[in-house]
């Protein structure tokens, strides 16, 4: 009998991974074991039991609220919190047509509308943080240990935005505190800045389990909060750390190699803000030769800040 080759092994491994993905397993590693069958059963029950709203309800209550008994304990977090039908954890899929006679339920759209409403009513960063703490519309909150809102100086002229927190950030509740954050600190120091003269946040304020990429729904649900955060900080310069945050907030489609180091404009905070994308520090840890290009970007940021002083 022929011995399997390395290519055969690789193919088998790929099939196994495909099988896991098809089965809805999108995260292989996490600190704590999750009872996925129990989660699915809860979600199915919540969907069945949730009353269908006549119209998307935004504001104090939510017509599609999951009955407390059907929610996981973490979701039922008090009367001030906003609760939503549990969302699917899997990647976006085409909407299922409603059964005959049943009105359509589009929870993602409702959740995004509620997120927008909640973010828009926040008059201060403290309000916005409190709003996020009470918001139960993003499933990432279920697995994250802490909300990672921001770090640094809210009056800073420069605001840096990453994609989503990692493990260290989740433990400490602060953005960019792990190895990539330490590199970011060194890069800021090199242009005469630190966290007292910068403001740092992420598009998604909860750690995706196993550090997976946030799904498009998760990003859309969190987007109103980061755009309001930009409005409230009102910086002179926005720095996107990596392509993900730039794509989400600038709507650009280019890859990071093409877009980094180019001045762009962020419009959406009632005025235009100069914006630049640069390599994510986690990428620089893996590809140290690229640091020379990041250095150029950071010099450009310093120059911009100095010239508009
Ligand atoms: N990567 C990010 O994008 N944000 C963090 O806060 C940490 C790592």
């Amino acid at each position: 009998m022929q011995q399997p080759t390395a290519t055969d092994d690789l193919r088998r491994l790929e099939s196994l991974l495909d099988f896991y993905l098809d089965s809805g397993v999108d995260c292989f590693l996490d600190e704590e074991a999750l009872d996925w069958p129990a989660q699915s059963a809860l979600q199915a029950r919540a969907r069945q039991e949730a009353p269908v709203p006549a119209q998307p309800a935004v504001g104090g209550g939510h017509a599609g609220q999951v009955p407390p008994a059907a929610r996981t304990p973490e979701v039922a977090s008090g009367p001030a919190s906003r609760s939503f039908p549990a969302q699917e954890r899997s990647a976006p899929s085409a909407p299922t047509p409603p059964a005959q006679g049943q009105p359509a339920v589009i929870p993602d759209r409702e959740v995004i509308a509620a997120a927008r409403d909640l973010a828009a009513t926040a008059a201060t960063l403290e309000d916005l943080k409190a709003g996020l703490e009470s918001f139960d519309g993003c499933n990432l909150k279920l697995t994250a240990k802490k909300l990672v809102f921001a770090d640094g100086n809210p009056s800073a002229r420069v605001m840096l935005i990453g994609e989503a927190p990692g493990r260290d950030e989740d433990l400490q509740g602060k953005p960019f505190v792990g190895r990539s954050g330490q590199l970011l600190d060194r890069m800021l120091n090199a242009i005469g800045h630190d966290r007292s003269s910068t403001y740092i946040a992420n598009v998604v304020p909860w750690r995706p389990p196993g550090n997976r990429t946030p799904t498009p729904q998760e990003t859309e649900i969190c987007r109103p909060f980061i755009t309001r955060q930009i409005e409230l900080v009102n910086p002179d310069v926005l720095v996107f750390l990596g392509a993900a945050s730039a794509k989400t907030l600038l709507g650009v489609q280019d890859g990071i190699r093409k877009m980094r180091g180019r001045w762009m404009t962020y419009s959406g905070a009632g005025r235009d803000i100069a914006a630049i994308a640069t390599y994510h520090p986690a990428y620089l840890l893996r590809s140290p030769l690229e640091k020379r290009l990041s250095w150029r970007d950071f010099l450009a940021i310093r120059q911009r800040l100095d010239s508009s002083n």
Side-chain angles (χ1 to χ4, degrees), residues 112-167:
I112 293 166
R116 246 188 243 134
D117 180 58
L118 189 57
T121 56
T124 63
L125 288 168
E126 289 73 31
D127 284 353
L128 191 64
K129 186 175 180 194
L132 267 169
E133 267 156 0
S134 74
F135 180 71
D136 285 335
C138 182
N139 58 356
L140 293 176
K141 191 179 180 181
L142 294 173
T143 46
K145 290 190 169 48
K146 287 196 175 153
L147 168 73
V148 179
F149 184 68
D151 194 22
N153 183 349
S155 312
R157 294 180 57 219
V158 57
M159 176 169 179
L160 298 105
I161 305 180
E163 182 180 29
R167 183 175 175 274

Side-chain angles (χ1 to χ4, degrees), residues 11-239:
R11 260 196 220 117
R12 273 191 208 137
L13 194 58
E14 279 174 353
S15 314
L16 184 62
L17 289 173
D18 284 345
F19 167 72
Y20 279 144
L21 270 178
D22 288 345
S23 313
V25 180
D26 65 351
C27 161
F28 299 140
L29 290 175
D30 207 354
E31 267 76 56
E32 283 157 29
L34 257 183
D35 186 347
W36 290 101
Q39 293 258 333
S40 306
L42 271 177
Q43 290 184 1
R45 224 175 92 203
R47 274 194 298 274
Q48 269 174 9
E49 290 178 17
V52 176
Q55 299 180 2
V58 180
H62 194 276
Q65 198 156 332
V66 182
R71 281 188 255 144
T72 49
E74 298 96 318
V75 183
S77 55
S81 69
R82 311 245 172 147
S83 302
F84 302 90
Q87 289 164 35
E88 298 291 349
R89 284 171 180 278
S90 53
S93 52
T96 319
Q100 257 202 333
Q102 291 267 314
V105 185
I106 313 169
D108 282 345
R109 205 182 284 172
E110 289 173 29
V111 173
I112 293 166
R116 246 188 243 134
D117 180 58
L118 189 57
T121 56
T124 63
L125 288 168
E126 289 73 31
D127 284 353
L128 191 64
K129 186 175 180 194
L132 267 169
E133 267 156 0
S134 74
F135 180 71
D136 285 335
C138 182
N139 58 356
L140 293 176
K141 191 179 180 181
L142 294 173
T143 46
K145 290 190 169 48
K146 287 196 175 153
L147 168 73
V148 179
F149 184 68
D151 194 22
N153 183 349
S155 312
R157 294 180 57 219
V158 57
M159 176 169 179
L160 298 105
I161 305 180
E163 182 180 29
R167 183 175 175 274
D168 296 305
E169 290 75 21
D170 184 43
L171 291 173
Q172 294 188 40
K174 274 188 189 176
F176 287 98
V177 290
R179 277 185 69 221
S180 60
Q182 287 155 19
L183 175 58
L184 178 63
D185 285 340
R186 289 199 294 278
M187 290 157 70
L188 287 171
N189 290 163
I191 56 162
H193 283 273
D194 58 21
R195 292 191 185 221
S196 70
S197 59
T198 53
Y199 184 86
I200 307 177
N202 283 301
V203 171
V204 170
W206 292 283
R207 180 200 182 197
N211 290 351
R212 67 162 167 76
T213 303
T215 64
Q217 291 106 318
E218 288 158 356
T219 301
E220 278 312 299
I221 290 166
C222 295
R223 181 212 287 268
F225 295 103
I226 187 66
T227 54
R228 183 68 184 138
Q229 209 168 348
I230 297 171
E231 260 171 33
L232 291 168
V233 174
N234 195 19
D236 291 337
V237 170
L238 273 173
V239 180

